[in-house]
């Protein structure tokens, strides 16, 4: 029996979700983590912490600008940019 494909349907869906987050941030950013979660919910998408973390921390195009006070405490502020200079 052959080896299963490394691109299972679940992995493809996870990657598409992460790409959606990065694309939304490119169009609507900078945004805080709760704002990104709200956008996911508004689009009818599942909010899954590991996918959100992958999109925000592993994408070479997403950068953390810092933090600010939110309704439930300190939250991260994220922006899309190819280079650090694009963020200002």
């Amino acid at each position: 029996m052959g080896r299963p494909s490394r691109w299972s349907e679940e992995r493809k869906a996870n990657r598409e979700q992460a790409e959606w987050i990065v694309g939304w941030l490119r169009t609507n950013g900078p945004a805080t983590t709760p704002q990104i979660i709200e956008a996911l919910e508004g689009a009818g998408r599942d909010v899954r912490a590991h996918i959100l973390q992958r999109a925000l921390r592993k994408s070479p195009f997403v950068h953390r600008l810092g933090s600010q006070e939110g309704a439930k405490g300190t939250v991260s502020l994220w922006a899309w940019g190819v280079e650090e200079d694009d963020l200002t």
Side-chain angles (χ1 to χ4, degrees):
M1 188 166 183
R3 186 172 150 197
S5 171
R6 85 176 226 208
W7 293 106
S8 69
E9 290 303 314
E10 182 179 359
R11 286 188 73 169
K12 287 179 189 176
N14 289 350
R15 183 178 176 106
E16 192 275 331
Q17 178 85 327
E19 289 173 355
W20 186 92
I21 293 168
V22 173
W24 182 89
L25 197 55
R26 180 179 186 181
T27 305
N28 300 290
T32 62
T33 305
Q35 289 170 330
I36 297 168
I37 292 170
E38 186 177 304
L40 285 166
E41 291 170 343
R45 296 180 168 270
D46 290 336
V47 178
R48 297 174 65 191
H50 71 284
I51 297 171
L52 184 60
Q53 180 179 358
R54 178 178 297 136
L56 297 177
R57 299 238 181 235
K58 303 240 180 196
S59 172
F61 304 111
V62 176
H63 306 281
R64 185 175 180 271
L65 296 181
S67 58
Q68 64 184 40
E69 280 303 311
K72 297 181 180 179
T74 305
V75 295
S76 295
L77 182 63
W78 302 93
W80 188 92
V82 177
E83 300 288 335
E84 291 289 330
D85 294 341
D86 293 344
L87 302 174
T88 55

